[in-house]
């Protein structure tokens, strides 16, 4: 079983739609979680950190459910520029990042 | 931009050769982590250097080795290249690996192709 699992997608949504991604992790002792965004053939860029009960940044909301060991990312009012791969990331007890395989989002006009 | 730079951008090697990839960390950062990203996969942790010492290693064979220099820049060396080593190699710099809030900032990566 992978340590961090994500639905690979792609999620194909119209502009303005709300879309949600989920991710599960296996290490119940992990404390820190992140969402990174990766454009095609580019490096991952930090989108949001997810601590304790989650957080919101503009159109993006991240939630952490420790009991079920999953993290979610909600994107409201999708823009064409949101098209990318979204990587769910766990920081383990030795402070290394463990990435999921990514969920691909396509926002169409 | 993150201020993390990597060189070269692209590299083509043949099986059995050796390669050295370089990374300059963001100003003020003393930690560099290296990741390998195969096509269609998420990045996989190779190892991390903190103040010139190896500070953790992932599930990679010994032919993957690294260095960190006093200015905190870093090198990744891969010996005896195999076809499966073809990937995007990413380095990430950060300030303090001992804190869960530590954010890692990625460089643009080096795309290695092994023929």
């Amino acid at each position: 079983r992978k340590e961090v699992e994500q639905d690979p997608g792609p999620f194909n949504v119209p502009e303005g739609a709300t879309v949600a991604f989920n991710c599960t992790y296996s290490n119940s002792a992990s404390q820190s979680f992140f969402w990174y965004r990766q454009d095609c053939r580019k490096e991952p860029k930090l989108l949001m950190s997810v601590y304790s009960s989650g957080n919101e940044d503009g159109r993006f909301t991240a939630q952490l459910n420790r009991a079920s060991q999953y993290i979610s990312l909600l994107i409201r009012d999708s823009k064409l520029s949101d098209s990318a791969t979204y990587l769910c990331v766990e920081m383990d007890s030795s402070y290394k990042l463990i990435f999921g395989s990514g969920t691909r989002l396509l926002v169409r006009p | 931009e993150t201020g993390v730079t990597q060189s070269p951008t692209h590299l083509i090697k043949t099986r059995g050769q050796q390669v050295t990839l370089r990374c300059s960390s963001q100003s003020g950062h003393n930690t560099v982590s290296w990741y390998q990203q195969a096509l269609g996969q998420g990045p996989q942790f190779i190892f991390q250097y903190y103040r010139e010492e190896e500070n953790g290693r992932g599930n990679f064979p010994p032919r993957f080795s690294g260095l960190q220099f006093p200015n905190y820049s870093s090198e990744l060396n891969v010996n005896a290249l195999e076809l499966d080593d073809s990937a995007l190699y990413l380095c990430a710099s950060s300030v303090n690996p001992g804190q869960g809030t530590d954010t890692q900032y990625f460089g643009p990566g080096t795309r290695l192709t092994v023929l």
Side-chain angles (χ1 to χ4, degrees), chain A residues 37-43 83-85 104, chain B residues 39 88 111:
Chain A
R37 170 198 167 123
Q38 187 171 29
D39 293 294
C40 188
R41 303 181 75 82
K42 299 284 190 179
E43 73 275 20
S83 297
T85 295
R104 192 170 166 214
Chain B
L39 199 61
L88 179 68
R111 190 163 297 279

Side-chain angles (χ1 to χ4, degrees), chain B residues 74-91:
Chain B
S74 179
E75 286 183 355
L76 164 66
N77 299 289
V78 187
N79 294 322
L81 284 167
E82 300 177 359
L83 297 179
D84 284 349
D85 295 334
S86 295
L88 179 68
Y89 288 85
L90 295 158
C91 80

